[in-house]
Amino acid sequence: IATSSVPADGVRRVLRTTHLRTGVAGDLPEVGPIPCLVQPFIEPVADFRITLVGLNAIVCKLSRASSSEIADWRTLESAERWEQGELPDRVVQACHHLAIIFGLSYCAIDMIQDRRGRFWFLEMNCSGQWGWLDHQAGTQIGQLIAKLLISKGD
């Protein structure tokens, strides 16, 4: 793999989730030989970050009232704020099951919800970031991680 960035305006930029125009996916020579996933666009009404720490599931939600055409929440205006949220029990249980399958006591799962209310799994990170959620949404993920680490020493 040569690079995970693409040239844009004379500068190399990290390639984030991008909404491509129809027919463009097969014509991306500037991306180079890096793995990429191309799929149909799912218009989100909300993004979810489910952080699993041991048996705890911390669900945070970013509503997309005015920005559903943007593919990657990281490119949204700073006015968009994460808050603590809820998911149906079956979705949370599926997240726990996935962590168990991979033997993880910590992970961060990203999902979106579409206009029809369906939840879509995007990815699972075994070392996903969480600090901004403690700050922005008032979670206590850092404390839960510390308790989990201390309990593993017993």
Side-chain angles (χ1 to χ4, degrees), residues 1-148:
I1 298 175
T3 181
S4 62
S5 62
V6 294
D9 303 322
V11 177
R12 294 206 64 83
R13 301 190 187 279
V14 173
L15 185 60
R16 296 187 183 229
T17 303
T18 305
H19 193 177
L20 300 174
R21 296 180 316 274
T22 303
V24 171
D27 187 28
L28 292 174
E30 68 274 11
V31 173
I34 64 171
C36 21
L37 175 64
V38 180
Q39 66 187 43
F41 180 69
I42 301 164
E43 188 174 338
V45 295
D47 290 83
F48 288 87
R49 166 60 66 101
I50 304 93
T51 307
L52 301 178
V53 183
L55 300 175
N56 298 288
I58 301 88
V59 177
C60 292
K61 177 181 180 181
L62 178 70
S63 296
R64 298 274 210 110
S66 63
S67 55
S68 61
E69 71 284 349
I70 296 173
D72 192 326
W73 64 264
R74 295 170 293 182
T75 63
L76 294 172
E77 294 296 321
S78 60
E80 306 281 356
R81 305 254 334 148
W82 286 88
E83 59 189 11
Q84 293 186 44
E86 294 184 10
L87 286 169
D89 287 341
R90 65 179 171 75
V91 175
V92 174
Q93 289 172 2
C95 291
H96 277 296
H97 185 68
L98 189 59
I100 289 167
I101 288 171
F102 287 101
L104 300 173
S105 54
Y106 172 86
C107 67
I109 296 173
D110 293 328
M111 301 181 85
I112 57 173
Q113 184 179 25
D114 69 15
R115 292 190 183 282
R116 294 176 59 192
R118 294 177 297 189
F119 294 94
W120 296 84
F121 173 87
L122 299 177
E123 65 179 336
M124 178 174 73
N125 301 294
C126 63
S127 61
Q129 296 181 17
W130 52 268
W132 95 94
L133 295 171
D134 273 4
H135 174 72
Q136 209 175 93
T139 62
Q140 296 187 2
I141 297 170
Q143 290 180 5
L144 290 171
I145 291 171
K147 288 179 185 176
L148 179 68

